[in-house]
Amino acid sequence: MTVRERQASVKAIRKKRGRRLMIAYALRGVIFLLLALMIALMVCGVLYIREHLDHAPGSELPDGNIGDSTGATTVAGGSIIPAAPSIPGQVKIVLDAGHGGDQPGCVINGATEKDITLSIVLLLQEKLESEGAAVVLTRSTDYDVSLPDRSEIANKAGANYFISIHCNSYEDDSSVKGFECYYYQSAKSENLAEAITSEADSYSISTRKVKEGNYAVLRETAIPAVLIEAGFLTNAEERGKLMSREYQELLAEAIASGILGYNDAF
């Protein structure tokens, strides 16, 4: 074999080795890519399973559970809706404490709407249950529930009425005050709002006219629904009352009486 032939043979061998190395590196890259993809899919699968287990019946609930008077529970954002069995003829009411969690609502001089609404709702639950009504809560602790979930709970709970509790504010005029009820495009809802307002007035609670309001929790709720603004936090006198347990109990008594009085009339 001549020198030239030997050199050509060496070049051919080197070229083959280079090709083999390139193929090996390419295969190695593909393998690493597939492994990374498999790991990503496994992680996504674990997260998916964990999320759905957290919302499954019998699983441990977070602090922001949704409960009713029979012990049935659900989780905000989940698919489990409280649907307590009702006694024939028993009135069932969904109570919605406005705001919650990282949605505090109106906050003025130490008064926080989400805390006041929850306190009123829990007192109202006691009043209604003491009169034999069944109660479903959209939230029983400091937890944010989305607006669609609040309406979905009301629609699927088999309830007669939906009552959402809020606190009002009007920064342009701090003298404005009063208990106020809203309804949306429903004669029954309007009548319920009027009944509650009339009862609040009879309890010597300062009240304002019933109004129609295009609020999501009213608009998307199929049963008679009322949104109550318990008072104005921008009014110093009313803010002080709303923060007191005595006044919260008075509000709960008046609202419960209005709801049950309206129910007896139909």
Side-chain angles (χ1 to χ4, degrees):
M1 182 181 290
T2 65
V3 172
R4 184 173 294 176
E5 290 174 339
R6 190 177 295 123
Q7 289 175 343
S9 177
V10 170
K11 285 182 179 179
I13 292 171
R14 288 177 179 174
K15 188 177 289 187
K16 287 182 181 179
R17 287 178 179 174
R19 288 175 182 171
R20 289 174 182 171
L21 284 173
M22 288 179 64
I23 292 171
Y25 285 132
L27 288 173
R28 188 178 299 176
V30 170
I31 291 170
F32 281 133
L33 183 61
L34 289 173
L35 285 173
L37 183 60
M38 288 176 62
I39 292 171
L41 289 172
M42 289 174 64
V43 170
C44 290
V46 170
L47 292 175
Y48 178 85
I49 292 170
R50 182 177 178 181
E51 178 183 356
H52 281 70
L53 283 176
D54 285 343
H55 293 256
S59 62
E60 186 178 351
L61 295 172
D63 289 340
N65 68 296
I66 301 164
D68 62 22
S69 57
T70 66
T73 53
T74 186
V75 180
S79 59
I80 311 164
I81 301 299
S86 297
I87 300 170
Q90 181 186 42
V91 61
K92 183 187 285 188
I93 301 148
V94 175
L95 298 180
D96 174 47
H99 304 282
D102 59 0
Q103 303 293 327
C106 185
V107 181
I108 298 177
N109 293 343
T112 304
E113 183 176 1
K114 67 174 183 177
D115 297 331
I116 294 171
T117 60
L118 180 59
S119 182
I120 294 172
V121 159
L122 294 177
L123 290 169
L124 180 54
Q125 178 186 20
E126 290 180 11
K127 302 288 185 184
L128 290 169
E129 289 180 341
S130 70
E131 296 294 330
V135 174
V136 173
L137 303 181
T138 59
R139 70 179 180 98
S140 58
T141 58
D142 185 15
Y143 189 80
D144 181 32
V145 183
S146 72
L147 294 178
D149 279 348
R150 294 172 195 259
S151 295
E152 184 181 12
I153 290 165
N155 291 334
K156 291 189 176 181
N160 302 92
Y161 311 116
F162 173 81
I163 308 294
S164 185
I165 306 293
H166 290 259
C167 294
N168 221 333
S169 67
Y170 187 59
E171 295 181 357
D172 291 345
D173 186 355
S174 61
S175 68
V176 175
K177 64 178 182 178
F179 178 100
E180 199 167 40
C181 286
Y182 287 85
Y183 69 96
Y184 181 72
Q185 293 185 350
S186 164
K188 287 186 177 180
S189 296
E190 182 180 6
N191 292 336
L192 176 58
E194 292 284 4
I196 293 171
T197 301
S198 177
E199 200 64 27
D201 187 59
S202 73
Y203 276 74
S204 299
I205 295 169
S206 175
T207 60
R208 297 166 62 85
K209 286 180 60 177
V210 168
K211 297 177 182 177
E212 185 170 4
N214 188 11
Y215 296 109
V217 291
L218 300 181
R219 186 179 63 249
E220 303 302 326
T221 300
I223 60 177
V226 170
L227 186 146
I228 295 173
E229 296 283 6
F232 285 76
L233 293 181
T234 43
N235 181 284
E237 178 188 0
E238 204 156 58
R239 182 171 65 248
K241 288 181 178 181
L242 287 167
M243 294 177 69
S244 73
R245 172 124 184 146
E246 182 180 3
Y247 190 68
Q248 291 173 4
E249 288 182 343
L250 181 68
L251 287 168
E253 184 72 35
I255 296 168
S257 182
I259 295 169
L260 298 175
Y262 171 80
N263 184 70
D264 289 340
F266 286 86

